[in-house]
Amino acid sequence: MTAIKHALQRDIFTPNDERLLSIVNVCKAGKKKRNCFLCATVTTERPVQVNVVKVKKSDKGDFYKRQTAWALRDLAVVDAKDAVKENPEFDLHFDKVYKWVASSTVEKNTFISCIWKLNQRYLRKKIDFINVSSQLLEESVPSGENQSVAGGDEEAVDEYQELNAREEQDIEIMMEGCEYAISNAEAFAEKLSRELQVLDGANIQSIMASEKQVNILMKLLDEALKEVDQIELKLSSYEEMLQSVKEQMDQISESNHLIHLSNTNNVKLLSEIEFLVNHMDLAKGHIKALQEGDLTSSRGIEACTNAADALLQCMNVALRPGHDMLHAVKQQQQRFSDLREQFARRLASHLNSVFVQQGHDQSSTLAQHSVELTLPNHHPFHRDLLRYAKLMEWLKNTDYGKYEGLTKNYMDYLSRLYEREIKDFFEVAKIKMTGTTREGKKFATLPRKESAVKQETESLHGSSGKLTGSTSSLNKLSVQSSGNRRSQSSSLLDMGNMSASDLDVADRTKFDKIFEQVLSELEPLCLAEQDFISKFFKLQQHQSISGTTTNEAEEMDGGTLSRSYTSGVPQTISSEKDMIRQMMTKIFRCIEPELNNLIALGDKIDSFNSLYMLVKMSHHVWTAQNVDPASFLSTTLGNVLVTVKRNFDKCISNQMKQMDEVKISKKSKVGILPFVAEFEEFAALAESIFKNAERRGDLDKAYIKLIRAVFVSVEKVANESQKTPRDVVMMENFHHIFATLSRLKISCLEAEKKEAKQKYSDHLQSYVIYSLGQPLEKLNHFFEGVEARVAQGIREEEVSYQLAFNKQELRKVIKEYPGKEVKKGLDNLYKKVDKHLCEEENLLQVVWHSMQDEFIRQYKHFEGLIARCYPGSGITMEFTIQDILDYCSSIAQSH
């Protein structure tokens, strides 16, 4: 075992600066016996570290290798299994329990004894040893002796010590001095032994010689012990004194701690009191202002406003935990609540008085505006009330019930005031529109003298000249016998004739100006009131953003207008914005009915007024929507615009209905149909009204409907005409329509203009061909027969051999149309054309020139047939082209 220990020290522990103190040959309990060594080691460097190392022999050689190491301080328990009987098993408790079986009980006991000693020296008895005999652990050894034993044991443990370099050098010098040191080791050892004995004897003699010095030393030691005892006594007294001082210092420290704690508490208490005083103390001036402040002067209102703000700050202060349990705080909060309630009542009462007084003051100024088409100015009232805006905000935040009560009272008083003002304003507007006085005005009907009605009716007949007095004729379009100036169902014919007079133009211009003035007065009034409500009642107005768009979908056939707004703002509108709209609706609830009544009156006066109203109302709606699409003004004007649009659509529908019911006289020529002429008047008037208007699309749709109705009605009248040929009716009226559309240059009717021109050209050609077939009837029939034979396959030069178309028959037919007879026939034709055509359109010369060209074309056609079918016969017409030109010119000049 000693050789193994030396080998392990040399190969494993010396390179790691460790010394091997004890070794035991073990194997794991309960397993196949594979031997290994447990080694107890200490490091040579300080601080000393003690380890338990597991070493095993390599399978491939005789060298050993280090497998596992545990620090001794991690060892908790050493279990020897049995303290009485010899048992080679033992357990070591590190991070887990390791069970070992030693090769012998002696080795186990030696290893455990070494562990116990290392525990005593380095770990101060931290390891528990169980089932270990007391003799082995040497527990009975006193503490002083224990140290010596421990030292002796350590020397025993250190029975082998490796030589250091100096020792090796001394041994080498000693061996060099002896010749047989290597060759005869026993003699060298014996020599060394004799020398050692000599040295020991010298040492003993030296010790015996120093006995006197030892006695002196012992005496000095005794004296030193006495001094030590005295010093210990003094130290004990000093210790008692220090203990007393320590107790006094502890008392002083405790007293200082209590004083510091008291100071800290006092500082915190002062901070809390200062917080409450600074945040919950209302100045006497503010209290006086809240209780007795003057709410009529600007200075008093400012003082009350500052006091109310200070009170609100005191009431809304964020109390710290526990403050609300203080009696003083509760009293102060109650005092603030009483002040708030008292001032809120006083403020609400004063503002209600201001609302009532303002209503009386404004009523006294209504008489000044009764004869002028202007609305009273509420700016002074708004200016005075805006001084209370901050107080209203305070009331809204502190007492919402009284705030709502004031809002309701304001709406009640102002709605009655505005209702009186607006009704008087519209009454003046109606008087100016009708030209009647207040006492004699009646808006349901507009009476006129029967003579005026009769005169207008006669003027209608004079303009047309061809209409009968039948109830189903165009007289239905004139002024009705009810006595109204113009009925709601006035036709285009009636409107056109009325507009021909300077009186009607002036009336329409006056109506346009009055209607514009009404809208111009209402718009700033509503905007000013809405702005005031927002500022005074502290309601935020959210203006529309740039992404907002307005889509209007119109259904023209049904006569309705539906609007849908799509905005970039959120769908959920704020409650404050809703409140503004509700207040405006309550205050101005009479505006929409009054506007509708005014529109009905304007439509009753003249249905063409709907054109003016549509343009003006559309412009104002567009302006209002640009400011705020969801505002009261925008919504109200939009609703009224729907009514105006319906009236406009109804006017157009009535004109179309009247066209469908038109019937013509059977005894007179038709000429230019009245509704054709009146469409021209309507288009000219509408173009002047809708110039640069926003709702041009409405007019374009109406144009298309009206022009299609005019086309259909012209066709219908032409088909029913008995006195005037159908082609003449179509030609003259479509020529007039084409001329009108060309002059007015209406872009949406370009297709209809081309259609009118085509119809005019077609019917002019048809009329010319039909009329020219009569003057040379026999000649026409003869050559039609010639062309029929050629069409049947007879060669042109062989036609003259046909019995009915030989040269003698041709000469016989030609002789029936000498120049004089042709001139007479043309003259009769001119008279008939003159009888068919009307003077208004002045198409006689155009038609006559076309007939001349057509006659010359037929003449050339006849000459060509004679040259081809009767070659070499020398047969010619008895008049020439020049004769035809002379005849036509002389006939035209003679008439």
Side-chain angles (χ1 to χ4, degrees), residues 380-512:
F381 174 49
H382 291 164
R383 181 191 59 213
D384 293 341
L385 279 180
L386 282 176
R387 298 181 302 169
Y388 302 95
K390 291 185 178 179
L391 289 176
M392 283 298 295
E393 183 178 13
W394 176 86
L395 190 63
K396 179 181 179 182
N397 294 329
T398 57
D399 194 338
Y400 197 77
K402 288 186 174 57
Y403 171 82
E404 280 189 326
L406 275 177
T407 304
K408 184 177 183 300
N409 292 338
Y410 179 83
M411 289 190 293
D412 291 341
Y413 291 131
L414 268 292
S415 63
R416 291 195 290 269
L417 174 62
Y418 276 119
E419 187 170 0
R420 292 195 301 271
E421 292 178 353
I422 291 171
K423 285 187 176 180
D424 287 348
F425 172 71
F426 276 95
E427 186 176 351
V428 174
K430 293 174 183 177
I431 291 173
K432 289 184 177 292
M433 284 183 181
T434 59
T436 60
T437 62
R438 250 180 216 242
E439 293 77 9
K441 69 181 188 336
K442 290 184 180 180
F443 300 109
T445 58
L446 301 173
R448 283 183 81 186
K449 295 181 179 180
E450 291 297 329
S451 59
V453 177
K454 182 177 180 181
Q455 184 178 356
E456 288 184 0
T457 307
E458 290 175 353
S459 68
L460 287 175
H461 286 288
S463 65
S464 62
K466 308 300 183 294
L467 304 179
T468 67
S470 170
T471 56
S472 61
S473 69
L474 282 177
N475 263 337
K476 294 179 67 176
L477 307 180
S478 65
V479 179
Q480 303 296 318
S481 61
S482 62
N484 293 346
R485 183 181 180 190
R486 291 185 182 87
S487 68
Q488 181 73 17
S489 60
S490 298
S491 66
L492 281 172
L493 173 62
D494 186 22
M495 294 300 101
N497 286 326
M498 292 301 176
S499 65
S501 66
D502 294 337
L503 177 62
D504 290 324
V505 173
D507 286 345
R508 287 176 179 166
T509 304
K510 181 179 74 173
F511 175 83
D512 185 32

Side-chain angles (χ1 to χ4, degrees), residues 601-616:
L601 173 64
D603 201 51
K604 186 182 290 291
I605 294 174
D606 186 347
S607 62
F608 269 19
N609 285 335
S610 61
L611 276 70
Y612 292 97
M613 291 188 288
L614 182 62
V615 172
K616 297 297 182 184

Side-chain angles (χ1 to χ4, degrees), residues 210-241:
S210 61
E211 181 179 0
K212 183 177 180 179
Q213 284 81 6
V214 170
N215 292 331
I216 296 171
L217 179 62
M218 293 299 294
K219 183 178 180 180
L220 290 175
L221 288 175
D222 291 338
E223 292 176 358
L225 288 175
K226 292 179 181 180
E227 292 292 332
V228 169
D229 292 338
Q230 293 178 0
I231 292 173
E232 286 181 354
L233 292 175
K234 289 182 179 181
L235 289 176
S236 299
S237 63
Y238 292 157
E239 185 177 2
E240 292 176 358
M241 294 173 63

Side-chain angles (χ1 to χ4, degrees), residues 196-216:
L196 182 60
Q197 289 176 359
V198 172
L199 290 175
D200 287 341
N203 286 336
I204 292 172
Q205 290 177 2
S206 176
I207 291 172
M208 292 176 66
S210 61
E211 181 179 0
K212 183 177 180 179
Q213 284 81 6
V214 170
N215 292 331
I216 296 171

Side-chain angles (χ1 to χ4, degrees), residues 3 124 176 349 354 522 717 737 779 783 852:
R124 298 185 181 181
E176 289 176 354
S349 176
V354 173
L522 288 176
V717 172
I737 293 171
L779 193 59
F783 281 111
Q852 172 185 297

Side-chain angles (χ1 to χ4, degrees), residues 659-869:
M659 290 182 198
D660 291 338
E661 297 176 354
V662 165
K663 294 188 180 299
I664 61 172
S665 174
K666 298 180 181 180
K667 298 181 180 180
S668 60
K669 64 181 179 182
V670 177
I672 300 302
L673 293 170
F675 55 79
V676 174
E678 296 318 318
F679 174 78
E680 178 184 9
E681 290 290 336
F682 170 79
L685 178 63
E687 286 298 309
S688 64
I689 295 174
F690 278 80
K691 186 177 181 180
N692 299 325
E694 288 84 2
R695 298 186 69 90
R696 176 73 193 192
D698 296 330
L699 180 62
D700 291 342
K701 294 176 183 178
Y703 273 150
I704 294 174
K705 287 187 175 183
L706 283 175
I707 197 67
R708 300 316 306 177
V710 169
F711 281 13
V712 173
S713 298
V714 169
E715 295 263 6
K716 178 183 176 183
V717 172
N719 292 331
E720 295 176 354
S721 174
Q722 297 180 4
K723 183 72 175 178
T724 305
R726 179 179 183 276
D727 290 328
V728 173
V729 176
M730 298 286 286
M731 172 185 65
E732 288 181 327
N733 284 279
F734 280 107
H735 177 269
H736 191 85
I737 293 171
F738 170 71
T740 299
L741 297 180
S742 299
R743 176 170 56 83
L744 295 178
K745 298 179 180 179
I746 302 174
S747 59
C748 68
L749 298 180
E750 281 296 320
E752 285 73 11
K753 183 179 74 172
K754 294 179 181 179
E755 183 180 353
K757 182 180 180 181
Q758 185 63 39
K759 287 181 179 291
Y760 156 70
S761 301
D762 292 344
H763 289 285
L764 172 62
Q765 186 67 22
S766 176
Y767 177 66
V768 167
I769 294 173
Y770 172 77
S771 300
L772 280 178
Q774 296 176 358
L776 306 176
E777 185 175 1
K778 292 183 180 180
L779 193 59
N780 251 335
H781 289 324
F782 181 84
F783 281 111
E784 284 177 1
V786 171
E787 289 176 342
R789 293 296 187 276
V790 174
Q792 292 174 1
I794 300 176
R795 296 171 60 183
E796 290 182 343
E797 58 271 16
E798 295 177 358
V799 172
S800 60
Y801 299 107
Q802 298 291 319
L803 181 62
F805 301 102
N806 56 24
K807 297 177 182 178
Q808 289 77 12
E809 291 295 328
L810 175 60
R811 289 189 181 96
K812 182 179 178 181
V813 173
I814 288 176
K815 284 181 180 181
E816 291 185 10
Y817 294 100
K820 182 179 180 180
E821 190 65 27
V822 170
K823 183 178 181 181
K824 181 180 178 181
L826 289 175
D827 187 61
N828 291 335
L829 178 61
Y830 186 89
K831 291 178 181 180
K832 184 177 291 187
V833 171
D834 186 27
K835 184 178 179 181
H836 289 163
L837 299 179
C838 65
E839 297 178 359
E840 295 92 332
E841 198 62 17
N842 196 22
L843 285 178
L844 178 59
Q845 294 304 321
V846 176
V847 174
W848 185 245
H849 188 271
S850 298
M851 287 187 169
Q852 172 185 297
D853 292 342
E854 179 63 23
F855 196 6
I856 292 173
R857 187 191 66 77
Q858 288 188 12
Y859 179 86
K860 291 180 179 180
H861 180 64
F862 294 157
E863 287 288 336
L865 286 175
I866 293 172
R868 293 195 303 274
C869 298

